[in-house]
């Protein structure tokens, strides 16, 4: 027996009662997440990847976001062109290394390289924590993971489309810009006081513009637009039994659009064929 507000109930009665209680959902229909578990896991994955690349720097060359480059017989890197000599070989997405579209979003600049060095991962992880602990509870964990991965992919695809070949890029900022867009869309959806939200978005857009000479503005823009599109589908899908299905179809549509754009760009770079 289990103690109740009035008398006692048997175990089976308690279980039946729990099944009949409607579970609370987020504004987009996700399960309530009391703690930002996924955000913590993502930060952990980024830190582990960073430690791995510090120990083995060749990880950066193999898994950073890279559209195309040539590796010569001397091991040096050369500007990519579709008709290259037989003793050269291609690297990057153009060579069929599609995983770079995601793995580049979990790598960061080594401690002593680039403009930011160690600050690169520190700033990104602080931003991920600040945004993730707000956005994740509002979406639920499954939708949050989908948003994060699609924003990462969107940032990489925009880099593929708009960045010159032979340029490597790393960092979680594409996904973070996607979370920033999600924060804005969700705040409007729930009718929050937009003054502080608008100030945040102004800062985010200013950073996108002012940092263009130091960071990958293409990745930032791609993550921002992808995050906004996915979250808009989450927030404004009609409530009801088909809400989750509509949201899933929207995510699949974004994925197909990004994949089609990536395949078209690779086909252009390879002169009409897609490398395997």
């Amino acid at each position: 027996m289990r103690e109740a507000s009035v008398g006692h109930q048997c175990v089976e009665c308690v279980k039946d009662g729990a099944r009949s209680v409607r579970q609370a959902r987020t504004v987009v229909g996700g399960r309530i997440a009391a703690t930002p578990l996924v955000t913590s896991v993502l930060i952990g994955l980024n830190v582990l990847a960073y430690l791995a690349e510090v120990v083995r720097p060749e990880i950066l060359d193999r898994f950073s976001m890279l559209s195309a480059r040539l590796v010569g017989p001397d091991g040096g890197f050369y500007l990519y062109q579709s008709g290259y000599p037989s003793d050269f070989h291609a690297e990057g997405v153009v060579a069929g290394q599609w995983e770079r579209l995601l793995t580049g979003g979990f790598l960061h600049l080594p401690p002593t390289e680039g403009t930011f060095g160690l600050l690169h991962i520190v700033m990104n992880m602080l931003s991920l924590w600040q945004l993730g602990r707000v956005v994740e509870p509002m979406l639920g964990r499954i939708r949050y993971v989908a948003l994060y991965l699609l924003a990462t992919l969107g940032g990489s695809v925009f880099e593929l489309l708009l960045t010159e070949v032979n340029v490597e890029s790393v960092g979680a900022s594409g996904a973070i810009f996607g979370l920033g867009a999600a924060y804005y869309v969700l705040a409007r959806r729930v009718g929050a006081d937009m003054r502080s939200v608008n100030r945040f978005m102004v800062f985010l857009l200013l950073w996108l513009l002012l940092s263009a000479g130091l960071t990958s503005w293409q990745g930032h823009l791609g993550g921002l637009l992808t995050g906004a599109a996915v979250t808009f589908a989450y927030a404004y899908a009609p409530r009801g039994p088909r809400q989750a299905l509509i949201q899933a179809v929207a995510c699949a549509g974004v994925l197909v659009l990004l994949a089609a754009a990536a395949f078209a760009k690779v086909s252009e770079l390879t002169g009409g064929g897609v490398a395997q």
Side-chain angles (χ1 to χ4, degrees), residues 65-69 159 163-169:
M65 174 53 204
L66 173 70
S67 57
R69 71 180 170 205
E159 289 179 16
T163 304
E164 294 182 2
V165 297
N166 216 51
V167 176
E168 291 184 74
S169 61

Side-chain angles (χ1 to χ4, degrees), residues 20-197:
S20 65
V21 175
R22 187 176 183 180
Q23 299 297 314
R25 293 280 178 171
T26 68
V27 67
V28 302
R31 292 182 180 274
I32 297 292
T35 58
L37 175 63
V38 174
T39 299
S40 300
V41 170
L42 289 171
I43 292 174
L45 290 174
N46 277 273
V47 171
L48 286 175
Y50 190 71
L51 294 176
E53 71 184 59
V54 169
V55 174
R56 299 188 62 183
E58 61 269 23
I59 289 176
L60 274 175
D61 285 334
R62 176 58 186 84
F63 292 104
S64 61
M65 174 53 204
L66 173 70
S67 57
R69 71 180 170 205
L70 294 178
V71 181
D74 58 351
F77 297 139
Y78 296 86
L79 185 65
Y80 176 83
Q81 53 184 350
S82 58
Y84 53 86
S86 59
D87 54 346
F88 284 69
H89 68 272
E91 282 190 345
V93 178
V94 75
Q97 296 171 345
W98 298 99
E99 68 277 2
R100 288 178 181 266
L101 294 170
L102 283 179
T103 56
F106 289 87
L107 300 173
H108 289 82
L109 291 174
T112 58
E113 291 187 17
T115 305
F116 298 102
L118 183 62
L119 282 177
H120 188 214
I121 187 171
V122 172
M123 293 169 61
N124 275 350
M125 293 305 99
L126 285 175
S127 300
L128 175 54
W129 174 250
Q130 293 295 333
L131 284 167
R133 65 178 181 171
V134 175
V135 175
E136 181 180 345
M138 297 181 74
L139 292 181
R141 290 169 180 164
I142 295 177
R143 289 167 177 79
Y144 179 72
V145 169
L147 167 67
Y148 189 92
L149 294 179
L150 285 172
T152 300
L153 185 61
S156 295
V157 170
F158 268 62
E159 289 179 16
L160 176 65
L161 297 176
L162 303 175
T163 304
E164 294 182 2
V165 297
N166 216 51
V167 176
E168 291 184 74
S169 61
V170 291
S173 51
I176 292 169
F177 268 77
L179 295 183
Y183 173 57
Y184 179 81
V185 173
L186 291 170
R188 291 189 65 87
R189 176 66 177 82
V190 300
D193 184 350
M194 295 301 294
R195 286 175 295 182
S196 62
V197 179

